[in-house]
Amino acid sequence: MRTYRNELWFHVEKRRQLLNITSQIQKCIDDSGIQEGLCLVNAMHITSSVFINDDESGLHLDIEVWLEKLAPEKPYAQYKHNSYEDNADAHLKRTIMGREVMVAVTNGMLDFGPWEQIFYGEFDGMRDKRVLVKIIGE
Amino acid sequence: MRTYRNELWFHVEKRRQLLNITSQIQKCIDDSGIQEGLCLVNAMHITSSVFINDDESGLHLDIEVWLEKLAPEKPYAQYKHNSYEDNADAHLKRTIMGREVMVAVTNGMLDFGPWEQIFYGEFDGMRDKRVLVKIIGE
Amino acid sequence: MRTYRNELWFHVEKRRQLLNITSQIQKCIDDSGIQEGLCLVNAMHITSSVFINDDESGLHLDIEVWLEKLAPEKPYAQYKHNSYEDNADAHLKRTIMGREVMVAVTNGMLDFGPWEQIFYGEFDGMRDKRVLVKIIGE
């Protein structure tokens, strides 16, 4: 059994943004030399997300509007968490979008359907944050 | 270490439907010969879901009503994604329900609590779609 | 390859409560002797959740209010599932919060960012319920 670990760092200039990180995850799999196994990709911060969906700009705008409806940023005072911080909505948005994805590795490749792409979802940006990649297999 | 991979195909006749696929996943575990390990079950499409909940018809109706409240199908024009397509709501519904489940394999069986059942959740049906099963263990 | 399995039992005295179980999961990793691998932690019941977020009491109150907004407990009769039971909302709340987390094990430790903590989320308490811990690695 082989294992591989890496951290990917991101610094998003806005409060919220979605980044397609699929090629960076495939690069990790390449570097690991693992042909068959499972790959965990998770946000190491609790106000960001890793998820799989479509790389379509209209959908990304829909997600922004939808998350603001389900867990609005403002007014800040609606959340108890926002006494020293203003990011309670980011904790909730990340809950909806999910912390992590597990992806199969087959023949050294991400084993994906036709439109699956991996995204880093930043909901409280403007600072350095990390994603963990852990692969096990052989 | 052993690995196993299979695709399950589904063609749902309606736009939305929930299918209990537990016995098909147990069949995959049987075929793999793996006694101890982890089993990933994920939708390969971004408008469908794999999740674990109760096989109770009332709850399934509740889920339908609830998802329509949180991410309504219509009016189609409320979503930017719906210029060439009409399935933006399916992308959002699948986000709520989740893309994947990880299940433990113990003594060659799905290691489940008393009511856990695995479902394929279709939110944009009437065409062939796939679920990936990847098992690692020994 | 080594595997480890354990069940953690909880009996929450209220209908809803969040419990930080991080140290209990680390104890499982210690007991397993596994240094590198993946650890699955999942609710074995379909009205409870395992998730990762911040151990901050204000946020936990926000989550309670937020889940009651997205999937209210009452009136019970709004849900078809509530003919013999009254816990349909718990099934939906657990769907939002998630059934499981996958965590990386590195050097025998939970491989976590600075604020990540694992929680058991009870949404239909006042009875014995279980969490499964399954670790694979070496």
Side-chain angles (χ1 to χ4, degrees):
Chain A
M1 206 195 82
R2 298 168 74 162
T3 67
Y4 169 92
R5 179 195 191 274
N6 199 11
E7 290 178 5
L8 306 177
W9 286 80
F10 300 97
H11 187 113
V12 166
E13 295 301 329
K14 296 192 288 184
R15 184 173 173 112
R16 289 191 290 277
Q17 195 169 341
L18 307 183
L19 304 177
N20 187 332
I21 62 172
T22 313
S23 62
Q24 288 164 273
I25 305 305
Q26 180 61 52
K27 173 81 165 53
C28 290
I29 296 171
D30 295 345
D31 292 347
S32 76
I34 291 171
Q35 295 293 305
E36 298 292 325
L38 293 173
C39 174
L40 170 67
V41 188
N42 71 262
M44 299 186 77
H45 299 259
I46 51 193
T47 51
S48 54
S49 176
V50 173
F51 66 95
I52 288 175
N53 216 311
D54 197 358
D55 197 353
E56 197 280 304
S57 60
L59 180 66
H60 296 187
L61 292 168
D62 294 332
I63 289 172
E64 163 67 20
V65 169
W66 183 63
L67 291 176
E68 268 296 282
K69 189 178 71 174
L70 295 184
E73 178 186 339
K74 299 174 184 173
Y76 294 127
Q78 76 188 292
Y79 301 113
K80 304 277 190 204
H81 182 64
N82 287 344
S83 50
Y84 299 96
E85 304 197 80
D86 68 1
N87 65 2
D89 71 300
H91 290 269
L92 303 180
K93 287 178 168 98
R94 111 70 175 259
T95 299
I96 295 273
M97 299 305 293
R99 167 189 179 257
E100 80 220 11
V101 296
M102 287 295 301
V103 291
V105 177
T106 303
N107 293 325
M109 301 289 288
L110 287 168
D111 195 338
F112 269 177
W115 302 104
E116 289 189 284
Q117 297 283 303
I118 306 175
F119 290 89
Y120 174 69
E122 178 62 84
F123 304 114
D124 185 31
M126 296 171 282
R127 52 199 171 99
D128 293 338
K129 290 167 83 171
R130 284 175 291 162
V131 163
L132 179 65
V133 183
K134 185 95 181 188
I135 312 172
I136 75 172
E138 64 184 9
Chain B
M1 206 195 82
R2 298 170 73 162
T3 66
Y4 168 92
R5 179 194 191 276
N6 199 9
E7 291 177 5
L8 306 176
W9 287 80
F10 300 97
H11 188 113
V12 166
E13 295 301 330
K14 296 192 288 183
R15 184 173 172 112
R16 289 191 289 277
Q17 195 169 342
L18 307 183
L19 304 177
N20 187 331
I21 62 172
T22 312
S23 63
Q24 287 165 274
I25 306 304
Q26 181 60 52
K27 173 81 165 54
C28 290
I29 296 171
D30 296 345
D31 292 347
S32 75
I34 291 171
Q35 295 293 303
E36 297 293 325
L38 292 173
C39 174
L40 169 67
V41 188
N42 70 261
M44 299 185 77
H45 298 260
I46 52 194
T47 52
S48 54
S49 175
V50 173
F51 66 95
I52 288 175
N53 216 311
D54 197 359
D55 197 353
E56 198 280 305
S57 60
L59 180 66
H60 295 188
L61 292 168
D62 293 332
I63 289 173
E64 163 67 20
V65 169
W66 183 63
L67 291 176
E68 268 295 284
K69 189 178 71 174
L70 295 185
E73 178 186 339
K74 299 174 184 173
Y76 293 127
Q78 76 189 293
Y79 301 112
K80 303 277 190 207
H81 181 64
N82 288 344
S83 49
Y84 299 96
E85 305 198 80
D86 68 2
N87 65 3
D89 71 300
H91 290 269
L92 303 180
K93 287 177 169 97
R94 111 70 174 258
T95 299
I96 296 273
M97 299 306 292
R99 166 188 179 259
E100 79 219 13
V101 295
M102 286 296 301
V103 292
V105 177
T106 302
N107 293 324
M109 301 289 287
L110 287 167
D111 195 338
F112 268 177
W115 302 103
E116 289 189 283
Q117 296 284 303
I118 307 175
F119 290 89
Y120 174 69
E122 178 62 83
F123 304 115
D124 185 30
M126 299 172 280
R127 52 198 172 101
D128 293 339
K129 292 167 83 171
R130 284 175 290 161
V131 163
L132 179 66
V133 183
K134 185 95 181 188
I135 313 172
I136 74 172
E138 64 183 10
Chain C
M1 206 194 82
R2 298 169 73 162
T3 67
Y4 169 92
R5 180 196 190 274
N6 199 10
E7 290 178 5
L8 306 176
W9 287 79
F10 300 97
H11 187 112
V12 166
E13 295 301 329
K14 295 191 288 183
R15 184 173 173 112
R16 288 190 289 278
Q17 194 169 342
L18 307 182
L19 303 177
N20 187 331
I21 62 172
T22 312
S23 63
Q24 288 164 272
I25 305 304
Q26 180 60 53
K27 173 79 165 53
C28 290
I29 296 171
D30 296 346
D31 291 348
S32 76
I34 290 171
Q35 295 294 303
E36 298 292 324
L38 292 174
C39 174
L40 170 68
V41 188
N42 70 261
M44 298 186 78
H45 299 259
I46 52 195
T47 52
S48 54
S49 175
V50 172
F51 67 95
I52 288 175
N53 216 311
D54 197 358
D55 196 353
E56 198 280 304
S57 59
L59 180 66
H60 295 187
L61 292 169
D62 293 333
I63 289 172
E64 163 67 20
V65 169
W66 183 63
L67 291 175
E68 268 294 284
K69 190 178 70 175
L70 295 185
E73 178 185 339
K74 299 173 184 173
Y76 294 127
Q78 75 189 292
Y79 301 112
K80 304 277 190 206
H81 181 64
N82 288 344
S83 49
Y84 299 96
E85 304 199 79
D86 67 2
N87 66 3
D89 70 300
H91 289 269
L92 303 180
K93 288 178 169 97
R94 112 67 176 260
T95 299
I96 295 273
M97 299 306 292
R99 167 188 178 258
E100 80 219 11
V101 296
M102 286 295 301
V103 292
V105 177
T106 302
N107 293 324
M109 302 289 287
L110 287 168
D111 195 338
F112 269 177
W115 301 104
E116 289 189 283
Q117 297 283 303
I118 307 176
F119 290 89
Y120 173 69
E122 178 62 83
F123 304 115
D124 185 30
M126 297 172 282
R127 51 198 172 101
D128 293 338
K129 290 167 82 172
R130 285 175 290 162
V131 163
L132 179 66
V133 183
K134 185 95 181 188
I135 313 172
I136 73 172
E138 64 186 9

